[in-house]
Amino acid sequence: MTCVVIVGCQWGDEGKGKIVDLLTEHADIVARFQGGNNAGHTVVFDNRTYILHLIPSGIFRKGKLAVLGNGVVVDPIALLEEIDGLQAKGVTVGDNLRISDEANLIMPYHKAMDKLRETLKGAGKIGTTGRGIGPAYEDKMARGGVRFSDFRGNGRKDLCGRLKSIIEEKNVLMRSHFHTDAFFDVGEIYDQYAALYQRIMPYLCDTSVLLNEAIDAGKAVLFEGAQGTHLDVDHGTYPYVTSSSTLAGGACTGCGVGPTKITDVIGVAKAYTTRVGEGPFPTELTGQAVGELLQKRGQEIGATTGRVRRCGWFDVPLVREAVRLNGMTGLAITKLDVLDTLEHIEIAVGYRDREGEILTSMPHHAGAAAELVPEYEELAGWESSTRGLTKLSALPKAARRYLDRISELTGAPVVLISTGPSREETIVVESVF
Ligand code: GDP
Ligand code: IMO
Ligand code: MG
């Protein structure tokens, strides 16, 4: 039995898609457990680039099963567009995809509320992806969510009644709180979503049963996290976070698999740090030459919203905390090649707070975190190309030292090193499966 969870160590976009695609070669099943189409996971092979938002990044591997667990919030319109888009590119999406019938749906009013709320917040906005993720999770927790299973058989009658009261409440909010004329029609939404359900129905099943039976039969499962540790709703830089449990523990609740089944947790971390949206970022270099260089060489543009990503130095306390929160057994360091031209590289090893106190971890309160000044350690750059390297022995000495120092300070071994976007541009230090 091998069940590996892949999660991001920073604020998302660490290269999880690439690592999941790579590791799916050794897995039987790849499952998403949280988030929705706020994610943008890039997979590159055979000179083609694919960006996935909902469908697991293992979908390209023949003979593997892709699963969307109960913890994912699904926008059925976005899901069908993604399936159609992949099929149009010749990618098989059919019997190799299974979706939990207990997954909650992103409804039209969730998307509207996400955008309206951000506009109302003005300068205090979170910088969400505008996909309705927060409002959908709110309704799930408030027991006012809609699930695929609600459309099944007799359940439909109950759904009509529930939808009526849910939507009436949204319409009141639209007028009184958001001051818009937006109006949601119960009948229209029901008909539209019932039709979407019909198209998605062939993919639906009890994915917890499916996964547990597969695990019991000795199959290998890869759990694909979205977002990153510091966007987690409990442990991230609250309130500048997403609305789901992005940590490895989320794989259990988000897929209906017990914690005793998880064998490994691999954290994906960029060799530097990026963030999209608002929120504290102590090592940020926006507006400085190195920040611009990282942004340009790393092509740091959001895969979902097309926003320019904020860039900065590698932040040890951030990743060390990710190692602790996720119980990480290994790190996959990506985008090492982006640092190739630098003479010196800095890593933050702690911070100084407002009173000048040294901190070795980031305060969770966003206000306090925003005031931190990083304490840096300087390391020599390697000033030569690591792009596309596949052997550890081929890495320049200074690059080895950089990775060794990261491993030493964060407390987790580096098991994979990514040296380019493509599947084969990877150094396998230790095999994960
Ligand atoms: P995810 O959300 O964690 O899957 O990451 P994204 O796909 O949003 O962003 C990662 C970006 O970095 C994508 O454009 C990848 O193609 C690219 N990428 C991944 N690994 C590497 C690497 O080792 N080197 C370089 N240069 N690019 C990489
Ligand atoms: P992947 O899986 C980076 C950020 C948004 C915003 C905050 C809340 O590609 O790593 P939301 O729409 O979730 O309510 O937005 O979270 N965010 C991400 N940042 N990568 C992601 O996903 C993200 N998903 C959400 O920018 O700051
Ligand atoms: Mg991404």
Side-chain angles (χ1 to χ4, degrees), residues 232-261:
D232 180 81
V233 70
D234 284 282
H235 300 280
T237 42
Y238 197 87
Y240 299 97
V241 294
T242 190
S243 300
S244 65
S245 296
T246 63
L247 303 185
C252 297
T253 47
C255 274
V257 168
T260 49
K261 302 286 161 75

mmCIF file of all heavy atoms in Angstrom, residues 232-261:
data_model
loop_
_atom_site.group_PDB
_atom_site.id
_atom_site.type_symbol
_atom_site.label_atom_id
_atom_site.label_comp_id
_atom_site.label_asym_id
_atom_site.label_seq_id
_atom_site.Cartn_x
_atom_site.Cartn_y
_atom_site.Cartn_z
ATOM 1 N N ASP A 232 -3.903 27.817 3.572
ATOM 2 C CA ASP A 232 -4.847 26.965 4.297
ATOM 3 C C ASP A 232 -5.747 27.816 5.200
ATOM 4 O O ASP A 232 -5.278 28.756 5.850
ATOM 5 C CB ASP A 232 -4.050 25.965 5.158
ATOM 6 C CG ASP A 232 -4.965 25.037 5.940
ATOM 7 O OD1 ASP A 232 -5.437 24.055 5.345
ATOM 8 O OD2 ASP A 232 -5.223 25.314 7.130
ATOM 9 N N VAL A 233 -7.008 27.443 5.256
ATOM 10 C CA VAL A 233 -7.974 28.262 6.008
ATOM 11 C C VAL A 233 -7.702 28.258 7.516
ATOM 12 O O VAL A 233 -8.019 29.227 8.204
ATOM 13 C CB VAL A 233 -9.427 27.838 5.667
ATOM 14 C CG1 VAL A 233 -9.756 26.457 6.241
ATOM 15 C CG2 VAL A 233 -10.434 28.871 6.139
ATOM 16 N N ASP A 234 -7.079 27.206 8.042
ATOM 17 C CA ASP A 234 -6.753 27.181 9.472
ATOM 18 C C ASP A 234 -5.362 27.723 9.759
ATOM 19 O O ASP A 234 -5.165 28.471 10.704
ATOM 20 C CB ASP A 234 -6.821 25.733 10.007
ATOM 21 C CG ASP A 234 -8.248 25.272 10.184
ATOM 22 O OD1 ASP A 234 -8.861 25.673 11.174
ATOM 23 O OD2 ASP A 234 -8.748 24.530 9.317
ATOM 24 N N HIS A 235 -4.383 27.296 8.968
ATOM 25 C CA HIS A 235 -2.983 27.560 9.317
ATOM 26 C C HIS A 235 -2.304 28.606 8.431
ATOM 27 O O HIS A 235 -1.118 28.884 8.611
ATOM 28 C CB HIS A 235 -2.188 26.245 9.263
ATOM 29 C CG HIS A 235 -2.721 25.212 10.210
ATOM 30 N ND1 HIS A 235 -2.422 25.226 11.547
ATOM 31 C CD2 HIS A 235 -3.564 24.166 10.020
ATOM 32 C CE1 HIS A 235 -3.041 24.209 12.139
ATOM 33 N NE2 HIS A 235 -3.747 23.562 11.232
ATOM 34 N N GLY A 236 -3.006 29.138 7.457
ATOM 35 C CA GLY A 236 -2.396 30.107 6.539
ATOM 36 C C GLY A 236 -2.402 31.517 7.092
ATOM 37 O O GLY A 236 -2.707 31.753 8.267
ATOM 38 N N THR A 237 -2.039 32.472 6.228
ATOM 39 C CA THR A 237 -1.950 33.881 6.622
ATOM 40 C C THR A 237 -3.353 34.494 6.593
ATOM 41 O O THR A 237 -3.667 35.346 5.763
ATOM 42 C CB THR A 237 -0.998 34.625 5.671
ATOM 43 O OG1 THR A 237 -1.243 34.185 4.328
ATOM 44 C CG2 THR A 237 0.442 34.381 6.033
ATOM 45 N N TYR A 238 -4.188 34.026 7.506
ATOM 46 C CA TYR A 238 -5.595 34.409 7.615
ATOM 47 C C TYR A 238 -5.734 35.915 7.823
ATOM 48 O O TYR A 238 -4.973 36.471 8.606
ATOM 49 C CB TYR A 238 -6.196 33.661 8.819
ATOM 50 C CG TYR A 238 -7.691 33.621 8.859
ATOM 51 C CD1 TYR A 238 -8.395 32.619 8.207
ATOM 52 C CD2 TYR A 238 -8.405 34.578 9.569
ATOM 53 C CE1 TYR A 238 -9.786 32.567 8.254
ATOM 54 C CE2 TYR A 238 -9.785 34.535 9.615
ATOM 55 C CZ TYR A 238 -10.475 33.531 8.953
ATOM 56 O OH TYR A 238 -11.840 33.479 9.005
ATOM 57 N N PRO A 239 -6.658 36.601 7.175
ATOM 58 C CA PRO A 239 -7.700 36.108 6.282
ATOM 59 C C PRO A 239 -7.282 36.003 4.811
ATOM 60 O O PRO A 239 -8.108 35.723 3.957
ATOM 61 C CB PRO A 239 -8.787 37.174 6.439
ATOM 62 C CG PRO A 239 -8.021 38.452 6.652
ATOM 63 C CD PRO A 239 -6.788 38.063 7.424
ATOM 64 N N TYR A 240 -5.982 36.209 4.533
ATOM 65 C CA TYR A 240 -5.535 36.149 3.129
ATOM 66 C C TYR A 240 -5.229 34.704 2.754
ATOM 67 O O TYR A 240 -4.070 34.330 2.542
ATOM 68 C CB TYR A 240 -4.327 37.066 2.919
ATOM 69 C CG TYR A 240 -4.671 38.507 3.221
ATOM 70 C CD1 TYR A 240 -4.371 39.072 4.458
ATOM 71 C CD2 TYR A 240 -5.348 39.283 2.285
ATOM 72 C CE1 TYR A 240 -4.725 40.381 4.749
ATOM 73 C CE2 TYR A 240 -5.708 40.589 2.570
ATOM 74 C CZ TYR A 240 -5.395 41.124 3.809
ATOM 75 O OH TYR A 240 -5.754 42.418 4.091
ATOM 76 N N VAL A 241 -6.251 33.918 2.718
ATOM 77 C CA VAL A 241 -6.127 32.481 2.476
ATOM 78 C C VAL A 241 -7.257 32.047 1.545
ATOM 79 O O VAL A 241 -8.123 32.856 1.204
ATOM 80 C CB VAL A 241 -6.244 31.686 3.804
ATOM 81 C CG1 VAL A 241 -5.071 31.977 4.723
ATOM 82 C CG2 VAL A 241 -7.561 31.999 4.532
ATOM 83 N N THR A 242 -7.264 30.786 1.175
ATOM 84 C CA THR A 242 -8.406 30.249 0.450
ATOM 85 C C THR A 242 -9.356 29.631 1.496
ATOM 86 O O THR A 242 -9.108 29.720 2.692
ATOM 87 C CB THR A 242 -7.960 29.248 -0.644
ATOM 88 O OG1 THR A 242 -9.091 28.943 -1.464
ATOM 89 C CG2 THR A 242 -7.391 27.955 -0.055
ATOM 90 N N SER A 243 -10.442 29.009 1.058
ATOM 91 C CA SER A 243 -11.460 28.578 2.030
ATOM 92 C C SER A 243 -11.456 27.086 2.294
ATOM 93 O O SER A 243 -12.435 26.549 2.803
ATOM 94 C CB SER A 243 -12.841 29.010 1.535
ATOM 95 O OG SER A 243 -12.855 30.412 1.399
ATOM 96 N N SER A 244 -10.357 26.406 1.964
ATOM 97 C CA SER A 244 -10.341 24.956 2.193
ATOM 98 C C SER A 244 -9.106 24.538 2.986
ATOM 99 O O SER A 244 -8.200 25.336 3.226
ATOM 100 C CB SER A 244 -10.379 24.214 0.853
ATOM 101 O OG SER A 244 -9.204 24.459 0.114
ATOM 102 N N SER A 245 -9.091 23.258 3.367
ATOM 103 C CA SER A 245 -7.938 22.696 4.090
ATOM 104 C C SER A 245 -6.947 22.182 3.063
ATOM 105 O O SER A 245 -7.131 21.114 2.489
ATOM 106 C CB SER A 245 -8.394 21.541 4.987
ATOM 107 O OG SER A 245 -9.263 22.037 5.968
ATOM 108 N N THR A 246 -5.899 22.977 2.858
ATOM 109 C CA THR A 246 -4.935 22.651 1.795
ATOM 110 C C THR A 246 -3.867 21.681 2.279
ATOM 111 O O THR A 246 -3.058 21.209 1.490
ATOM 112 C CB THR A 246 -4.240 23.934 1.301
ATOM 113 O OG1 THR A 246 -3.504 24.492 2.413
ATOM 114 C CG2 THR A 246 -5.234 24.962 0.800
ATOM 115 N N LEU A 247 -3.839 21.415 3.582
ATOM 116 C CA LEU A 247 -2.786 20.559 4.151
ATOM 117 C C LEU A 247 -3.033 19.086 3.844
ATOM 118 O O LEU A 247 -4.140 18.691 3.478
ATOM 119 C CB LEU A 247 -2.725 20.740 5.672
ATOM 120 C CG LEU A 247 -2.502 22.153 6.201
ATOM 121 C CD1 LEU A 247 -2.357 22.119 7.714
ATOM 122 C CD2 LEU A 247 -1.287 22.794 5.567
ATOM 123 N N ALA A 248 -2.007 18.291 4.088
ATOM 124 C CA ALA A 248 -2.095 16.849 3.812
ATOM 125 C C ALA A 248 -3.292 16.214 4.524
ATOM 126 O O ALA A 248 -3.931 15.307 3.988
ATOM 127 C CB ALA A 248 -0.804 16.163 4.226
ATOM 128 N N GLY A 249 -3.612 16.716 5.738
ATOM 129 C CA GLY A 249 -4.768 16.191 6.471
ATOM 130 C C GLY A 249 -6.048 16.327 5.672
ATOM 131 O O GLY A 249 -6.981 15.524 5.827
ATOM 132 N N GLY A 250 -6.111 17.333 4.822
ATOM 133 C CA GLY A 250 -7.291 17.557 3.974
ATOM 134 C C GLY A 250 -7.538 16.410 3.015
ATOM 135 O O GLY A 250 -8.674 16.197 2.570
ATOM 136 N N ALA A 251 -6.491 15.662 2.693
ATOM 137 C CA ALA A 251 -6.649 14.528 1.764
ATOM 138 C C ALA A 251 -7.572 13.480 2.383
ATOM 139 O O ALA A 251 -8.330 12.811 1.673
ATOM 140 C CB ALA A 251 -5.290 13.919 1.440
ATOM 141 N N CYS A 252 -7.509 13.354 3.704
ATOM 142 C CA CYS A 252 -8.330 12.345 4.383
ATOM 143 C C CYS A 252 -9.800 12.752 4.384
ATOM 144 O O CYS A 252 -10.657 11.987 3.948
ATOM 145 C CB CYS A 252 -7.827 12.135 5.809
ATOM 146 S SG CYS A 252 -6.153 11.497 5.845
ATOM 147 N N THR A 253 -10.073 13.989 4.870
ATOM 148 C CA THR A 253 -11.481 14.416 4.905
ATOM 149 C C THR A 253 -12.009 14.655 3.492
ATOM 150 O O THR A 253 -13.175 14.415 3.217
ATOM 151 C CB THR A 253 -11.643 15.711 5.728
ATOM 152 O OG1 THR A 253 -10.641 16.627 5.325
ATOM 153 C CG2 THR A 253 -11.535 15.433 7.202
ATOM 154 N N GLY A 254 -11.144 15.120 2.610
ATOM 155 C CA GLY A 254 -11.592 15.486 1.253
ATOM 156 C C GLY A 254 -11.733 14.304 0.310
ATOM 157 O O GLY A 254 -12.164 14.473 -0.828
ATOM 158 N N CYS A 255 -11.339 13.112 0.789
ATOM 159 C CA CYS A 255 -11.491 11.925 -0.064
ATOM 160 C C CYS A 255 -12.134 10.769 0.681
ATOM 161 O O CYS A 255 -12.378 9.713 0.091
ATOM 162 C CB CYS A 255 -10.126 11.473 -0.605
ATOM 163 S SG CYS A 255 -9.658 12.350 -2.120
ATOM 164 N N GLY A 256 -12.373 10.946 1.981
ATOM 165 C CA GLY A 256 -12.963 9.849 2.738
ATOM 166 C C GLY A 256 -12.014 8.673 2.883
ATOM 167 O O GLY A 256 -12.396 7.514 2.714
ATOM 168 N N VAL A 257 -10.747 9.000 3.194
ATOM 169 C CA VAL A 257 -9.721 7.974 3.393
ATOM 170 C C VAL A 257 -9.097 8.232 4.766
ATOM 171 O O VAL A 257 -8.770 9.378 5.080
ATOM 172 C CB VAL A 257 -8.646 8.078 2.273
ATOM 173 C CG1 VAL A 257 -7.425 7.242 2.612
ATOM 174 C CG2 VAL A 257 -9.234 7.648 0.933
ATOM 175 N N GLY A 258 -8.953 7.198 5.568
ATOM 176 C CA GLY A 258 -8.428 7.394 6.925
ATOM 177 C C GLY A 258 -6.951 7.744 6.942
ATOM 178 O O GLY A 258 -6.197 7.326 6.059
ATOM 179 N N PRO A 259 -6.511 8.492 7.978
ATOM 180 C CA PRO A 259 -5.104 8.911 8.061
ATOM 181 C C PRO A 259 -4.117 7.747 8.140
ATOM 182 O O PRO A 259 -2.957 7.907 7.751
ATOM 183 C CB PRO A 259 -5.039 9.759 9.340
ATOM 184 C CG PRO A 259 -6.373 9.727 9.956
ATOM 185 C CD PRO A 259 -7.338 9.068 9.037
ATOM 186 N N THR A 260 -4.580 6.588 8.613
ATOM 187 C CA THR A 260 -3.657 5.442 8.709
ATOM 188 C C THR A 260 -3.267 4.905 7.331
ATOM 189 O O THR A 260 -2.364 4.098 7.206
ATOM 190 C CB THR A 260 -4.306 4.298 9.510
ATOM 191 O OG1 THR A 260 -5.622 4.086 8.970
ATOM 192 C CG2 THR A 260 -4.407 4.628 10.976
ATOM 193 N N LYS A 261 -3.969 5.382 6.285
ATOM 194 C CA LYS A 261 -3.669 4.885 4.934
ATOM 195 C C LYS A 261 -2.559 5.694 4.246
ATOM 196 O O LYS A 261 -1.994 5.265 3.248
ATOM 197 C CB LYS A 261 -4.935 4.942 4.051
ATOM 198 C CG LYS A 261 -6.112 4.144 4.588
ATOM 199 C CD LYS A 261 -5.886 2.661 4.407
ATOM 200 C CE LYS A 261 -6.742 1.791 5.291
ATOM 201 N NZ LYS A 261 -8.116 1.651 4.929
#
